[in-house]
Amino acid sequence: MKKCDDACGHQCIIMVTSLHFHPTKTLYPMAITMFPKIALFFAFFISSSVFGSDPDPLQDYCLPSNHTHLCKNSSSLTVDDFVFSGIKHPGEFTNKFSGVPVTSTVFPALNTLGMSLVRADFEVGGINAPHYHPRATEVAYVLEGKLYSGFVDTGNRVFAKVIEKGEVMVFPTGVLHFQMNVGDSPATVIGSFDSQNPGSVKLPVALFGSDIDSELLEKAFGLKGKEVSKLKKRFGIKKEENPRQAPMATISRTMV
């Protein structure tokens, strides 16, 4: 037993000695080896944070030229270039709802400034169908009326309530949100986005107004073929075209 203890003790001593930590020989080479990886991680983290939305402009403003991708010469600009009157009145109504977007496409002065607006008008009972903006957070300010307004987060939790004139509600980037006029008079909302091109994906149109195969929609929503056809007709698809049998040009365009 003693010999065994001595032998074991000797082996343990050898093991501990072999694992003895030498800062000069071990830590510095490790730090040199790890530094590029750590630097790369922080560079990726910082760039992801900075470029999560529209990049910061490199000049005061940049109104694009009609013929080139360059900015117009500032000497040719007037104050009228920085004023937009297109949302003084409601737009054309469809199903008791009207939306007038104010992006850099219609108001070039917004170009490179990382923001845009929308005016939304609701007749009594009108709705803004469930939709989301893939590139922007929205802040909605109620100018007139009373609306049931809310959004659904990625955990399927609904945050919704009735908001009235003078109140503001925020819809985080990319979350599904909706609005419905529950008052006895028309309602108006001004929405502000932190992107000059927030994008908008309305679920009814995206699902039933596109070329998604009918069989998939039938299985996903438990609908019959006639019901899917009726919805596609309502939201823009009059004749079903199976993407698997579509010409290559059609498929390529769909993928883009």
Side-chain angles (χ1 to χ4, degrees):
M1 292 296 293
K2 184 175 181 180
K3 291 182 178 180
C4 180
D5 290 340
D6 292 341
C8 293
H10 181 62
Q11 290 176 2
C12 291
I13 292 173
I14 293 175
M15 184 178 296
V16 172
T17 303
S18 64
L19 293 176
H20 185 69
F21 185 74
H22 297 281
T24 304
K25 296 181 179 180
T26 306
L27 181 58
Y28 297 156
M30 183 182 298
I32 293 173
T33 304
M34 292 297 295
F35 180 78
K37 298 179 180 179
I38 296 173
L40 180 62
F41 169 79
F42 279 106
F44 175 78
F45 176 80
I46 293 172
S47 63
S48 299
S49 302
V50 172
F51 296 107
S53 57
D54 292 4
D56 291 333
L58 300 178
Q59 61 281 316
D60 293 339
Y61 44 78
C62 176
L63 279 74
S65 170
N66 296 329
H67 306 291
T68 70
H69 295 291
L70 302 177
C71 305
K72 288 183 178 180
N73 191 314
S74 60
S75 63
S76 67
L77 302 177
T78 68
V79 65
D80 291 333
D81 289 306
F82 298 92
V83 177
F84 182 75
S85 303
I87 57 172
K88 291 173 66 176
H89 307 287
E92 183 178 350
F93 282 86
T94 302
N95 296 326
K96 299 184 177 183
F97 173 76
S98 167
V100 182
V102 185
T103 65
S104 59
T105 303
V106 297
F107 188 22
L110 292 176
N111 184 50
T112 75
L113 299 185
M115 66 172 300
S116 55
L117 298 169
V118 65
R119 171 174 176 155
D121 289 273
F122 305 75
E123 294 179 352
V124 176
I127 69 166
N128 190 1
H131 64 285
Y132 65 91
H133 305 289
R135 294 181 289 274
T137 293
E138 178 182 1
V139 175
Y141 172 71
V142 183
L143 282 176
E144 296 289 345
K146 181 187 300 184
L147 299 110
Y148 173 68
S149 179
F151 64 89
V152 184
D153 69 9
T154 54
N156 284 332
R157 185 179 177 187
V158 178
F159 295 85
K161 66 172 295 184
V162 174
I163 57 176
E164 302 180 356
K165 178 179 178 179
E167 293 187 306
V168 171
M169 188 168 193
V170 63
F171 305 124
T173 303
V175 302
L176 193 69
H177 55 282
F178 47 83
Q179 295 160 318
M180 178 173 64
N181 185 354
V182 295
D184 299 325
S185 60
T188 301
V189 171
I190 295 294
S192 176
F193 305 96
D194 62 345
S195 170
Q196 72 177 48
N197 185 22
S200 180
V201 181
K202 290 186 177 290
L203 259 61
V205 177
L207 292 170
F208 298 102
S210 64
D211 288 327
I212 295 178
D213 187 74
S214 293
E215 182 181 355
L216 185 148
L217 295 173
E218 292 171 20
K219 292 180 177 180
F221 296 98
L223 299 173
K224 297 180 180 179
K226 292 183 178 179
E227 294 172 325
V228 171
S229 298
K230 184 177 180 180
L231 289 169
K232 286 203 167 192
K233 183 177 181 180
R234 176 180 178 184
F235 292 107
I237 298 298
K238 296 182 179 180
K239 183 178 180 181
E240 175 72 5
E241 181 180 24
N242 192 329
R244 290 172 291 188
Q245 299 176 352
M248 183 60 66
T250 302
I251 295 177
S252 299
R253 186 167 60 252
T254 303
M255 291 174 65
V256 173

